[in-house]
Amino acid sequence: MKPVGIGMDLGTSGLKAIAITADGQTVAEASATYPLLTPRPGWTEQNPSDWVEAAHQVLGELAQKLQQGNWEPVAIGLSGQMHGATFLDKQDQVVRPAPLWNDQRTAQACAEIEAAIPRRDLIQRTGNPAVTGFQLPKLVWLRQAEPEHFAQTAHVLLPKDYLAYVLTGQMATEPSDASGIGALNLGLQDWDTEIIQALGLNPALFPPVIPSHGVVGSLKAEWAQALGLPQGLPVVAGAGDNAGAAIGLGLSSARPGRGSVSLGTSGVIFVPTQKPTPDPEGRIHLFCHADGGYHFLGVTLAAAGSLQWYRDKLAPGVSFEELMEEAQSVPPGSDGVVFMPYLAGERSPYLDPDLRGAWLGLSLAHGRGHLTRALLEGVAFSLRDVLEVMQPLVRIDRLLAIGGGARSDFWLSIVGSALALPLARTPIEEGPARGAAILGLVGAGLYTSVDEAISATAPQDSEIGATATNSQPLLERYRRGLQAVQGFKGK
Ligand code: ADP
C-alpha cells in the first residue's frame, strides 16, 4: 500500500476532502455541502453539527476510494474558513450556532476592544486592528448580547479546530488560523494573555496553540471503524484557508518574493514574510503562515464578483469570453472611463463598509466594451492599492494568478501591468485542502519540515509574459475617481 495524506477543508458552502501522494499527486476527492444561516440581516451562522455530518459523509466516501486504489492514509490534515466561533459548554456541547467570518454583528464589540487596547498597540501585538469578522469580537458580543450563553461557554474553537476536536477528543489550534482570532501575539505565536485579560476574559477559553503540522490527536476508534480508516490515524492541526491554499501552491516564508493574486469573488494578494512587522495603520492583514513564518493579506471585496454582477445584471446571457473580446477592442484607459469596484464596500487598504461602486467619465461615445474594460482595469487598480501598502514591508518579485478571473489572459495582462509585476500560472486547483494534506504528510513524519514538503510537492509555475505599459497616469486617474466616490455617500 502506498501512503497518502488526507486534507479536509471546511469551507463556507461545503466541505472538501482530497488525498495526495508524498509527491503531491491527487488520487481521490470527495465533497459535501451544508447550508448557510442568515437569521438576521448582517448575521451569518452555521450549525457545527452540519460540519460533522458532512465530515462523516466525505471521509467515508474518500476512505472507500482509497481502499479501492490500495492507498494507505497516514494522516488527516485540516483547513477551513477562518474567524468563526464555536462556543462549547463544560460538557463540550455546542451552545449556539457558530457565527462566521463574514458576520457583521460585532461593530460595538470591536469598539469595546479598541477602547480596552489602543488600536496601534493591538496592531503591533496581533498584526491587525479589531475587525468585525474576527473571533474575539464575537466572544465580546456574546457576553453583552446573550449573557446566558456566555455564562455556559467554557471553550471557544475555530471551525476546523472544532472538527479536529470531534475527530480526536482533543482541543488545539495552530498559528495561521489562531492569528485571525484577534488575541494571538504574533511574535510569540501564542496567546496574548494581556489582551485577553484586559477584556476581562478567561485565557482558559482558548485551546493550546501547537504548530500547524502538529498532531492534535488520533482519530477516535468509533470514527475509524465507521469509516474504514486506520485505527490511531493522526489528525494534524492544519491551517486557515488562505494559508492552507498557499502551502498547496508552494508559497513558503522560507522563499521570499513569491506570492499570489486571486481573482475570485473577492480579490486577494497573499505574500509570505519572515518578519512579524505589520502595517502600523493596519490597512492590510498580517497573519501567521502555516510554516512558522508570517504572511500579509490584502482583500478587495468585489473583484471577479464585480464582473459576475455586471454580467448577470447588465449583460445577461453574454459569456465572459464575449465580454472580454469586446473589452479588448477598447484601448488601455477605456477612453476615459473609470470603474470603482466597491460594490460591497471595501476592506484593504480602505476599510469602509459604506464605500460604493461607480463608473465615472461616461459620454455618448462609450459602449459596453468601455464599461467592461473599465471594470477590469478598476479591479486591477484596487489590487494595486493593496500592493502599494504591502511593498514597503515585504519583497515581492512575482505573483501566482489564481481564481476564476485568472481564466482570462486578457484580464491577467491588465492586472500584471497595473501591478507592474510578473504574474505566473499554476496547474494547482485544489485550494486549501491540498495544503491541509501536505501539512498532514509533515505531521505523519514523511517530511521533516513544511518547507521540505513544499519543495517535494510544488509543481512548476509558468510565467505569463509581462506587459510593460506605463500605468501611472491611469492609476492617478483611478485615485481621483476614488476621491470622488469617497466624497459621495448615496444614503
Ligand atoms: P470564488 O472566489 O467564489 O471561489 P472563483 O475563483 O471560482 O470564485 O471565480 C469565479 C469568478 O470568476 C466569477 O464570478 C467570474 O467573474 C470569473 N470568471 C469565470 N470565468 C471567467 C472567464 N472565462 N473570464 C474571466 N472571468 C471569469
Side-chain angles (χ1 to χ4, degrees):
M1 301 246 284
K2 295 153 288 179
V4 288
I6 295 177
M8 189 154 64
D9 177 49
L10 194 164
T12 312
S13 54
L15 195 136
K16 177 175 170 183
I18 69 166
I20 65 166
T21 58
D23 62 352
Q25 305 304 311
T26 302
V27 298
E29 293 187 55
S31 61
T33 58
Y34 33 70
L36 179 74
L37 315 174
T38 48
R40 294 191 201 181
W43 288 28
T44 55
E45 300 182 347
Q46 272 170 338
N47 278 321
S49 58
D50 289 342
W51 301 333
V52 175
E53 208 176 297
H56 207 275
Q57 181 189 330
V58 160
L59 280 177
E61 218 176 289
L62 199 78
Q64 236 174 20
K65 291 182 182 173
L66 294 178
Q67 271 167 11
Q68 282 158 9
N70 220 15
W71 299 103
E72 187 197 1
V74 293
I76 301 176
L78 295 171
S79 67
Q81 46 168 309
M82 294 174 68
H83 313 307
T86 315
F87 303 108
L88 303 179
D89 66 16
K90 284 194 192 69
Q91 281 75 44
D92 300 338
Q93 296 301 306
V94 173
V95 168
R96 72 178 312 291
L100 305 187
W101 59 277
N102 49 0
D103 188 286
Q104 293 295 331
R105 76 186 73 178
T106 62
Q108 201 193 322
C110 287
E112 201 180 313
I113 292 170
E114 290 192 356
I117 305 110
R119 183 182 168 88
R120 292 218 154 224
D121 202 16
L122 194 62
I123 293 168
Q124 286 308 324
R125 285 164 173 258
T126 69
N128 301 285
V131 177
T132 43
F134 283 15
Q135 191 194 73
L136 186 67
K138 292 176 168 66
L139 196 55
V140 172
W141 169 85
L142 190 75
R143 178 169 61 185
Q144 193 273 324
E146 297 181 358
E148 69 293 358
H149 284 148
F150 182 77
Q152 282 173 281
T153 299
H155 303 282
V156 55
L157 294 178
L158 291 160
K160 75 159 191 342
D161 299 332
Y162 173 69
L163 201 50
Y165 164 70
V166 172
L167 294 175
T168 65
Q170 306 294 322
M171 288 187 194
T173 189
E174 51 71 44
S176 72
D177 213 1
S179 53
I181 285 176
L184 193 88
N185 186 297
L186 280 191
L188 301 175
Q189 300 215 1
D190 204 349
W191 301 117
D192 194 317
T193 42
E194 284 175 18
I195 291 180
I196 297 169
Q197 281 162 351
L199 290 166
L201 294 168
N202 182 355
L205 285 163
F206 300 97
V209 185
I210 65 172
S212 305
H213 62 273
V215 176
V216 179
S218 308
L219 184 65
K220 282 182 181 170
E222 68 222 51
W223 278 81
Q225 274 154 18
L227 301 174
L229 285 166
Q231 293 281 349
L233 188 65
V235 175
V236 169
D241 50 8
N242 287 300
I247 295 289
L249 291 170
L251 300 176
S252 131
S253 60
R255 276 164 243 223
R258 295 175 70 242
S260 64
V261 55
S262 172
L263 294 173
T265 298
S266 55
V268 177
I269 297 186
F270 179 109
V271 179
T273 178
Q274 281 174 316
K275 283 189 303 190
T277 310
D279 170 45
E281 292 169 53
R283 291 168 296 177
I284 51 173
H285 297 297
L286 178 60
F287 295 121
C288 296
H289 198 4
D291 63 357
Y294 302 89
H295 71 82
F296 287 104
L297 187 87
V299 182
T300 197
L301 284 174
S306 293
L307 182 65
Q308 183 80 39
W309 162 83
Y310 171 62
R311 204 275 303 264
D312 292 352
K313 297 282 164 67
L314 303 181
V318 183
S319 72
F320 289 121
E321 288 74 12
E322 267 175 273
L323 287 175
M324 293 297 169
E325 222 164 280
E326 282 175 8
Q328 222 159 343
S329 65
V330 170
S334 308
D335 288 330
V337 185
V338 215
F339 178 72
M340 298 290 123
Y342 305 115
L343 304 179
E346 190 52 311
R347 179 98 80 92
S348 325
Y350 322 101
L351 185 61
D352 183 356
D354 299 324
L355 201 55
R356 286 296 171 261
W359 275 279
L360 299 163
L362 288 168
S363 79
L364 292 171
H366 294 128
R368 190 165 72 185
H370 293 90
L371 295 182
T372 313
R373 178 154 195 146
L375 185 148
L376 304 175
E377 291 175 343
V379 170
F381 285 124
S382 75
L383 289 166
R384 165 73 181 245
D385 275 346
V386 171
L387 191 78
E388 288 207 359
V389 178
M390 225 179 258
Q391 262 169 331
L393 300 166
V394 62
R395 185 179 131 198
I396 310 175
D397 300 333
R398 71 184 203 149
L399 297 174
L400 288 178
I402 55 173
R407 282 184 215 141
S408 163
D409 287 334
F410 174 57
W411 200 359
L412 287 190
S413 73
I414 288 175
V415 172
S417 96
L419 300 184
L421 274 178
L423 303 183
R425 278 188 192 282
T426 166
I428 299 296
E429 285 183 348
E430 290 92 339
R434 179 180 165 86
I438 292 171
L439 292 166
L441 292 172
V442 182
L446 267 68
Y447 293 106
T448 55
S449 70
V450 178
D451 193 50
E452 192 190 35
I454 283 178
S455 304
T457 53
Q460 206 59 36
D461 311 331
S462 47
E463 193 147 319
I464 303 163
T467 32
T469 42
N470 174 14
S471 56
Q472 200 56 36
L474 300 186
L475 178 64
E476 280 160 20
R477 207 185 55 183
Y478 175 83
R479 297 252 166 87
R480 290 202 301 278
L482 174 64
Q483 281 167 7
V485 291
Q486 281 174 329
F488 178 85
K489 296 282 177 193
K491 278 194 279 189

